[in-house]
């Protein structure tokens, strides 16, 4: 009999891509669970509409009654938690939704998963919990946690709860920490889709500070494949870093996007820096590659082209997701910078 897996945050960027992968790669039944916040969009799961192994449930991980209902209705074997508030700039404007979803929501989910004896729980986390690097070195799983933004502080708190449930209750938890993702269906508030969309409409491309902050970029499908491998083969109680060894300063990415779209660099506008802006992230992925044999498949040039082409072909998707709420957010984040 196929295993029943509860995937939370399944209508977001990475969660939706993961659910599609999981249903093609193994004998699973997926219960998709998502609150459909501004970042969650059922359209992202359209291709699964007629799939008998996929059930969508609208629900909030902050709500005990929503979780009770889904755990009572389905015999859940495993849980993968993608549900989160995920944007650093929003966490700087207001941290409270980050505490509610990322911390309280995760603790709720841990409690219900424990009560219902799930056999495996995977927490999807981020390299941002490690803080910021100088010019050299990489984050390993042993690096101390030193989050600098309210977003990363909330993800760190969640990771600490997951760890504590493993230690205290022998709860079968695993944690993955991944670097910056890019690819289709990413909400256009994040660097790469925001720059693509602004360039296409000849709007300013707002680069924070000097544009020399470095992120380690990974194509979303590579991240999803890594999560599946950790979920299936990882050792309980362990953390696995995921990254594609692809460090790039922001300004270089912005220039590559402009060049691919044949747009002038005069669209670049250097704006006031993000407060507490982490300088550099870089992941050491030795553990996952040596223990589980995972390696990334996409190189950045190819992945970026696939991503830009997807946005060019799906402008109507972007139009639909950038609701009134997003327009207000855009104005308050960028108009006085
Ligand atoms: P996203 O913002 O695109 O999607 C988040 C999803 O969670 C949305 O569908 C939203 O509706 C849902 N959600 C939010 N609050 C919820 C709640 N209270 N209950 C139920 N559902 C809720 O985010 P993403 O980029 O797909 O990130 C997914 C996960 O991966 C997050 O946990 C994030 O911290 C982690 N992560 C992201 C990246 C990245 O580069 N995007 C990198 C590493 C880790
Ligand atoms: P982002 O996509 O928000 O991811 P994160 O902050 O989680 O790494 O930002 C990636 C980098 O791009 C980060 O250094 C901030 C920078 N950035 C800009 O320069 N301008 C922008 O408008 C945005 C959204 C991000």
């Amino acid at each position: 009999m196929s295993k029943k897996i509860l995937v939370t945050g399944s209508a977001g960027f990475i969660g939706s891509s993961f659910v599609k992968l999981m249903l093609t790669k193994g004998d699973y039944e997926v219960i998709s669970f998502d609150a459909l916040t501004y970042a969650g969009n059922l359209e992202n799961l359209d291709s699964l509409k007629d799939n008998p192994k996929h059930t969508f449930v609208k629900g909030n991980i902050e709500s005990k009654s929503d979780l009770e209902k889904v755990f009572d209705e389905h015999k859940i074997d495993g849980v993968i938690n993608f549900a989160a508030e995920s944007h650093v700039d929003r966490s700087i404007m207001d941290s409270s939704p980050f505490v509610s979803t990322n911390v309280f929501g995760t603790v709720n989910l841990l409690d219900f998963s424990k009560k219902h004896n799930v056999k495996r729980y995977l927490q999807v986390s981020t390299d941002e919990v490690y803080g910021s690097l100088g010019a050299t070195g990489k984050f390993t799983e042993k690096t101390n946690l030193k989050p600098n933004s309210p977003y990363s502080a909330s993800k760190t708190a969640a990771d600490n709860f997951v760890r504590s449930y493993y230690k205290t209750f022998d709860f079968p938890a695993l944690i993955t920490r991944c670097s910056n993702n890019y690819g289709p269906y990413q909400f256009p508030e994040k660097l790469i889709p925001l720059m693509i969309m602004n360039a296409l409409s000849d709007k300013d491309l707002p680069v924070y500070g000097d544009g020399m902050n470095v992120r380690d970029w990974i194509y979303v499908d590579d991240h999803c494949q890594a999560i599946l491998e950790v979920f299936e083969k990882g050792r309980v109680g362990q953390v696995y870093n995921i990254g594609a060894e692809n460090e790039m300063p922001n300004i270089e990415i912005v220039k590559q996007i402009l060049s691919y779209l044949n747009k002038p660099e005069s669209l670049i506008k250097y704006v006031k820096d993000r407060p507490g802006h982490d300088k550099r992230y870089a992941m050491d992925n030795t553990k996952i590659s040596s223990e589980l044999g995972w390696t990334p498949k996409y190189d950045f040039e190819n992945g970026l082209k696939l991503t830009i082409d997807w946005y060019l072909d799906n402008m109507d998707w972007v139009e639909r997701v950038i609701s009134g709420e997003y327009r207000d957010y855009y104005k308050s984040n960028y108009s006085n910078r």
Side-chain angles (χ1 to χ4, degrees):
M1 207 172 67
S2 48
K3 291 198 188 95
K4 229 181 216 191
I5 311 300
L6 179 71
V7 179
T8 63
S10 58
F13 163 49
I14 308 173
S16 60
S17 164
F18 178 79
V19 168
K20 290 171 209 162
L21 177 85
M22 188 168 219
L23 286 166
T24 54
K25 287 284 169 81
D27 190 14
Y28 295 109
E29 197 178 321
V30 173
I31 310 300
S32 249
F33 184 95
D34 198 294
L36 300 179
T37 68
Y38 79 92
N41 185 357
L42 258 188
E43 220 184 304
N44 301 357
L45 296 168
D46 253 2
S47 62
L48 301 176
K49 258 202 316 249
D50 300 320
N51 188 324
K53 297 208 157 198
H54 180 249
T55 305
F56 181 79
V57 176
K58 183 168 187 281
N60 194 318
I61 59 169
E62 291 165 47
S63 157
K64 289 187 196 300
S65 60
D66 286 358
L67 286 177
E68 192 148 23
K69 194 158 179 278
V70 76
F71 275 96
D72 282 349
E73 277 175 17
H74 302 274
K75 170 82 194 82
I76 303 290
D77 296 301
V79 174
I80 304 182
N81 183 25
F82 289 89
E85 286 293 333
S86 67
H87 191 38
V88 173
D89 291 321
R90 286 183 189 255
S91 79
I92 294 168
M93 289 175 179
D94 181 7
S95 349
S96 57
F98 289 74
V99 179
S100 309
T101 287
N102 302 0
V103 188
F104 287 125
T106 297
V107 173
N108 267 338
L109 192 57
L110 287 167
D111 281 335
F112 279 93
S113 303
K114 180 161 79 66
K115 183 174 158 200
H116 289 265
N117 296 311
V118 304
K119 295 181 196 73
R120 239 161 146 78
Y121 175 103
L122 189 148
Q123 176 75 6
V124 179
S125 186
T126 163
D127 58 358
E128 304 194 25
V129 300
Y130 296 122
S132 184
L133 290 163
T136 57
K138 289 186 175 192
F139 298 131
T140 74
E141 291 80 359
K142 293 198 171 79
T143 304
N144 289 337
L145 305 185
K146 280 192 192 162
N148 292 319
S149 71
Y151 161 67
S152 54
S154 67
K155 292 293 289 184
T156 306
D159 283 13
N160 284 336
F161 272 101
V162 174
R163 178 189 146 85
S164 77
Y165 274 51
Y166 166 68
K167 289 280 178 189
T168 308
F169 306 113
D170 211 14
F171 178 71
L174 303 105
I175 297 175
T176 56
R177 296 191 178 130
C178 189
S179 59
N180 285 64
N181 285 221
Y182 67 100
Y185 296 101
Q186 186 165 32
F187 195 82
E189 65 190 351
K190 303 280 168 55
L191 178 78
I192 289 181
L194 185 138
M195 297 299 170
I196 296 171
M197 294 316 297
N198 282 19
L200 285 172
S201 45
D202 297 307
K203 271 168 69 176
D204 287 344
L205 271 52
V207 173
Y208 298 163
D210 61 4
M212 291 309 291
N213 299 67
V214 171
R215 299 292 182 262
D216 182 354
W217 294 92
I218 184 170
Y219 193 68
V220 62
D221 290 6
D222 278 333
H223 182 195
C224 291
Q225 181 63 39
I227 291 172
L228 189 58
E229 293 191 25
V230 172
F231 186 69
E232 291 178 338
K233 304 184 287 190
R235 285 181 293 137
V236 160
Q238 294 290 306
V239 173
Y240 292 88
N241 282 356
I242 304 167
E245 299 196 332
N246 178 53
E247 290 182 50
M248 196 93 68
N250 297 333
I251 190 65
E252 205 178 299
I253 294 181
V254 170
K255 287 183 178 169
Q256 282 190 29
I257 293 171
L258 287 170
S259 153
Y260 189 69
L261 291 172
N262 240 327
K263 295 284 183 176
E265 289 190 5
S266 56
L267 286 175
I268 295 171
K269 185 179 174 208
Y270 290 94
V271 299
K272 197 164 139 243
D273 209 353
R274 174 189 276 174
H277 197 173
D278 285 337
K279 187 69 189 167
R280 176 174 164 258
Y281 303 144
M283 282 303 232
D284 181 332
N285 61 21
T286 309
K287 182 172 173 179
I288 186 170
S289 57
S290 61
E291 257 188 45
L292 307 181
W294 172 88
T295 49
K297 300 279 178 287
Y298 290 82
D299 68 55
F300 187 71
E301 202 188 326
N302 194 23
L304 186 63
K305 281 185 189 156
L306 285 173
T307 305
I308 297 176
D309 288 343
W310 186 87
Y311 281 90
L312 284 170
D313 290 343
N314 290 277
M315 304 280 275
D316 50 340
W317 176 90
V318 178
E319 278 311 312
R320 283 193 292 275
V321 303
I322 53 175
S323 60
E325 189 278 342
Y326 179 65
R327 295 200 170 96
D328 291 345
Y329 160 76
Y330 194 93
K331 215 188 287 161
S332 60
N333 193 42
Y334 294 100
S335 60
N336 292 318
R337 258 193 139 107

